[in-house]
Amino acid sequence: MVDAKRLDPMRTRSLSAVVISGVVVAACAAPAPSSFEWVDEPALETTPRNEPPPDDELEPSGVTDVTVPDPSAGGSSPSERTMANAAAPTAPVTAYLNGEGGTYFAGVDNAGQRISSVLSFYGRQSATAPPTGYQGATWRTLVDCVSEKFARYGVTITDRRPVGPYTEIVVTNAWGSSILGLSNAIGGIAPLGSCRVVPQAVGFVFQPVYDRPGYGGVAGACEAVAHELAHTLSLSHEQLATDLMSYAPANPAKRFQDANVACGVSAQAPEACTCGAATQNSHRQLLAMVGAPAPSGGPTTPGDTVPPVVSIASPANGASAPGNANVTVAVDATDETGLADVRLVWQQTQRALACDDSVQGVTCVVTGNRRTWTIFAGTGARSFYAYAVDGGGNTTSTPLVTISLTGAPPDAPPTVNVQLPVDRGALSRGATIDFQAAASDDRAVADVRAIWTFNGGTLEYPMAQTTTPGVYRATTTVSATATAGWRTVEVAVVDDGGNRTLSPKRWVYVQ
Ligand SMILES: [Zn+2]
């Protein structure tokens, strides 16, 4: 968990000289951490929302953003996780651009209930986002711009709260510091889909970051909304400057490019591509996740207005079965003019499974009107339903069936051991800082990142595995204009089961 603590800047600057490890530092320095009390932020709204961002910042000094781990990626069995991560086409997504703000609560993302995993990640129970400052035609420009960025994909953009499941991006006229305790250099934040769409995700874009001269205004905010929304649809960062997943300055030509590009915002900050390949093609990955826009053509059997009949023959709702084993689901479907599609929707992985063997860990056979899927699942509750579509476009869904899979697999939290930076060492402005840590887990490490805390908030640096297995590293540069004083570094490790371990703090003195 990231500490929501910060130094009071005025108090810091009034303190006098101290000696650290025999080095006399400048008069504006804070004292050594052992003799200084961190000041708890008394409430979320301590920073005026239009306070300019501090100069005290790590390079690059432009806008950055943060992703948090996919809160609900896959099941507890390796096969289910593979199924979740299979880049099979999923249902189209409706994305709600919220300009009205609101109060959000911690938990697994559920936009309809205003629950956000971003808050969980930062240990906040709730946060209130003020409305956007964009009004009327300006707001319309933003919505139209985002719609245009997603015009080639199965993503419907709306600024009216939808009925039914949807993803939400909150465009708020507040700095990240004031509502989430983030650095003011952070323009947005969203959960990153683990090669899948994060269902009903909630992301945030901080409008004041883009309203500064040179940061693009509405056009910059549009790109940020598209960028955060795409994170929820599984897209990693890319270095290609004309791609919306880059950190390059605002540019109307930015789009989701059909190009294979290494993941990460720079060569110095590599990231694993979420779908496991060495490169990412943001255009094709979006097509794999949400498909193309619905075709404008009519149904293939225009006269058919009688919907198909579909039912789940087994298992029964409420049944129990052994976990970590195959589960078979039998679905009967008929239609008087013929079926166009029958799918089993497995909620744990949010996959609408066709009766083909295109997804690893799932097989299906057809016998007469019956389709029988076999899925290797983990343990716990599993819910699913089936739907059938006929040639007239009529759709029928079964009721939801929930079964209980018994037994619990071991999943211990990961371990982390910070190697660099040296605790209580000093660092000059403009110098390169190395973050290095050993991380391990009984199953698999999913994410390792360094968390740098300064008096303007926190910055996060994803760490990449080095050539030494289990050792992760990232480097960056301390701004030449950084204020002298103490910073803390922590390393957070998340395993594939979502368990998170935070290292003890190390202290670094910037001089
Ligand atoms: Zn990003």
Side-chain angles (χ1 to χ4, degrees):
M1 186 168 69
V2 176
D3 274 342
K5 294 178 178 178
R6 53 203 293 271
L7 289 165
D8 173 62
M10 297 313 294
R11 184 172 168 189
T12 304
R13 290 186 186 113
S14 69
L15 294 163
S16 55
V18 291
V19 178
I20 306 140
S21 309
V23 180
V24 180
V25 298
C28 60
S34 55
S35 63
F36 188 80
E37 194 68 36
W38 282 90
V39 181
D40 263 308
E41 245 182 348
L44 299 181
E45 284 284 351
T46 54
T47 308
R49 69 186 195 186
N50 282 324
E51 173 191 284
D55 289 330
D56 181 359
E57 199 59 282
L58 296 178
E59 301 289 356
S61 58
V63 177
T64 65
D65 74 332
V66 178
T67 57
V68 304
D70 189 341
S72 56
S76 56
S77 82
S79 249
E80 261 184 320
R81 288 195 298 277
T82 302
M83 174 168 53
N85 292 342
T90 61
V93 166
T94 298
Y96 168 47
L97 305 194
N98 178 1
E100 298 172 351
T103 298
Y104 293 79
F105 301 92
V108 174
D109 288 276
N110 188 323
Q113 295 179 27
R114 305 190 187 221
I115 298 174
S116 162
S117 61
V118 168
L119 272 68
S120 306
F121 191 76
Y122 285 99
R124 304 251 167 178
Q125 290 190 332
S126 69
T128 298
T132 179
Y134 299 136
Q135 306 291 334
T138 312
W139 172 254
R140 180 51 42 201
T141 300
L142 176 74
V143 175
D144 289 348
C145 172
V146 176
S147 299
E148 192 273 329
K149 301 294 187 195
F150 285 94
R152 295 181 294 165
Y153 313 107
V155 177
T156 303
I157 304 293
T158 175
D159 65 346
R160 304 182 71 126
R161 194 173 283 278
V163 176
Y166 59 90
T167 295
E168 176 171 343
I169 303 294
V170 183
V171 182
T172 179
N173 195 15
W175 297 97
S177 57
S178 69
I179 59 173
L180 289 169
L182 301 171
S183 158
N184 282 332
I186 290 171
I189 185 165
L192 174 61
S194 177
C195 197
R196 63 194 292 270
V197 173
V198 178
Q200 302 176 70
V202 178
F204 297 86
V205 167
F206 307 112
Q207 180 194 326
V209 172
Y210 301 96
D211 286 346
R212 291 175 295 168
Y215 286 82
V218 174
C222 163
E223 292 177 9
V225 171
H227 179 110
E228 300 305 329
L229 178 53
H231 277 320
T232 76
L233 306 177
S234 81
L235 264 59
S236 302
H237 290 128
E238 288 186 9
Q239 294 174 46
L240 184 63
T242 54
D243 195 285
L244 283 160
M245 299 318 293
S246 75
Y247 273 180
N251 171 358
K254 269 194 191 177
R255 63 209 303 255
F256 298 109
Q257 299 287 354
D258 186 1
N260 299 325
V261 182
C263 292
V265 294
S266 70
Q268 289 71 43
E271 293 172 25
C273 300
T274 66
C275 287
T279 58
Q280 171 177 279
N281 182 312
S282 57
H283 171 65
R284 286 170 194 261
Q285 190 161 320
L286 274 179
L287 286 174
M289 294 294 148
V290 299
S296 53
T300 54
T301 317
D304 182 0
T305 57
V306 181
V309 177
V310 60
S311 62
I312 294 178
S314 69
N317 189 31
S320 290
N324 296 318
N326 282 327
V327 175
T328 55
V329 180
V331 173
D332 294 331
T334 56
D335 184 75
E336 84 290 353
T337 63
L339 290 161
D341 197 14
V342 179
R343 298 286 180 118
L344 175 67
V345 180
W346 192 257
Q347 292 210 323
Q348 184 75 13
T349 56
Q350 293 283 314
R351 292 286 164 189
L353 300 162
C355 192
D356 58 27
D357 293 348
S358 64
V359 173
Q360 193 180 335
V362 181
T363 59
C364 185
V365 294
V366 181
T367 312
N369 296 327
R370 174 162 293 184
R371 289 162 173 78
T372 303
W373 279 267
T374 301
I375 298 170
F376 188 89
T379 60
R382 292 293 183 275
S383 296
F384 47 87
Y385 66 95
Y387 68 83
V389 186
D390 69 14
N394 307 295
T395 301
T396 304
S397 297
T398 70
L400 193 69
V401 169
T402 299
I403 61 173
S404 176
L405 303 176
T406 53
D411 185 15
T415 61
V416 57
N417 180 19
V418 179
Q419 298 171 337
L420 291 172
V422 172
D423 191 30
R424 282 156 218 262
L427 195 68
S428 298
R429 280 168 269 202
T432 296
I433 181 167
D434 270 328
F435 305 114
Q436 187 169 301
S440 64
D441 186 63
D442 58 334
R443 295 201 317 200
V445 170
D447 187 72
V448 181
R449 56 184 61 209
I451 301 168
W452 171 274
T453 302
F454 64 110
N455 69 5
T458 62
L459 286 171
E460 303 204 0
Y461 291 86
M463 296 164 70
Q465 186 152 219
T466 64
T467 50
T468 306
V471 175
Y472 296 77
R473 182 166 182 250
T475 63
T476 188
T477 306
V478 178
S479 167
T481 60
T483 317
W486 287 101
R487 311 292 192 274
T488 63
V489 176
E490 295 158 288
V491 175
V493 182
V494 179
D495 71 14
D496 62 346
N499 299 303
R500 184 166 185 264
T501 300
L502 190 61
S503 74
K505 280 187 174 120
R506 288 200 171 189
W507 294 82
V508 175
Y509 193 81
V510 172
Q511 60 188 21

